[in-house]
Amino acid sequence: MKINVLKKVLLLWVLLAAAFTGFAQDIPKTIPPFNMVLSDGATYYNADSVKKDKPLMIVYFDPECQHCQQFTQLLTKNIKKFSATQIVMICAAPGLPPLKKFVSDFKLNTYPNIKAGTEGMYHATMNFYKVDVTPFTALYDKNGALLAYYRTVPQIQTLVKQLSK
């Protein structure tokens, strides 16, 4: 009788451990299958559009988030350090007006290596990364392998160092 109880307790413990392990898992190591419309409302850009021979930075942001605005300001101020990096900025807001204002405020269309768009109501990227706070930043090498990700605002020098690997 004691053995059966012990087996049940052990089984319950294993099941609980397996369930809670799911919450601690890292994000997938591949580029998310994003599909977004750029701020012009007519141009589409997706994961297949990403060049395969260049590093990639994906920034999931909210145009009204102060941290996102500060990060974008730092990013554009240091844009020369990211000249070899593709930067994809995916807006959490579903409509085009907040995205258009953000792109205009930070003059993102003047940087050829930055693509800013929205996934609309789909939030595929948010779900892929399990984003709960913005900005969220993920870095990939030129082969599409995940280098690092940040759930807080990363330092510019940290990003430069990671992307140079």
Side-chain angles (χ1 to χ4, degrees):
M1 177 119 177
K2 286 184 179 182
I3 293 176
N4 284 339
V5 171
L6 183 60
K7 284 182 182 179
K8 288 179 184 179
V9 169
L10 183 60
L11 178 62
L12 179 62
W13 184 83
V14 168
L15 290 173
L16 285 172
F20 285 110
T21 303
F23 292 113
Q25 289 179 346
D26 277 346
I27 63 170
K29 306 290 185 217
T30 58
I31 295 171
F34 69 87
N35 188 15
M36 64 185 191
V37 61
L38 301 184
S39 62
D40 65 6
T43 307
Y44 288 88
Y45 193 83
N46 61 34
D48 293 332
S49 305
V50 172
K51 294 178 180 143
K52 306 298 182 213
D53 60 345
K54 288 187 167 194
L56 172 67
M57 177 188 314
I58 295 178
V59 179
Y60 191 81
F61 73 100
D62 183 332
E64 295 183 12
C65 160
Q66 273 192 320
H67 291 108
C68 299
Q69 294 167 3
Q70 291 167 350
F71 176 67
T72 303
Q73 187 174 21
L74 280 173
L75 186 62
T76 56
K77 182 179 176 183
N78 291 280
I79 197 67
K80 288 182 181 177
K81 295 177 182 177
F82 300 100
S83 61
T85 302
Q86 303 169 88
I87 302 170
V88 174
M89 299 186 71
I90 303 173
C91 179
L96 283 175
L99 173 64
K100 283 184 178 187
K101 181 176 179 346
F102 190 87
V103 168
S104 174
D105 288 351
F106 293 99
K107 299 174 179 47
L108 297 182
N109 285 337
T110 64
Y111 304 105
N113 60 326
I114 297 179
K115 301 292 183 202
T118 179
E119 293 181 305
M121 298 295 288
Y122 296 106
H123 301 294
T125 303
M126 181 183 77
N127 295 332
F128 183 87
Y129 290 126
K130 300 175 184 131
V131 175
D132 54 1
V133 69
T134 57
F136 174 90
T137 307
L139 305 177
Y140 296 87
D141 70 12
K142 65 181 182 175
N143 299 314
L146 181 69
L147 294 169
Y149 65 92
Y150 305 90
R151 294 190 183 278
T152 60
V153 177
Q155 297 291 316
I156 293 296
Q157 284 310 109
T158 302
L159 296 175
V160 171
K161 184 178 176 182
Q162 283 291 332
L163 290 165
S164 67
K165 290 183 177 181

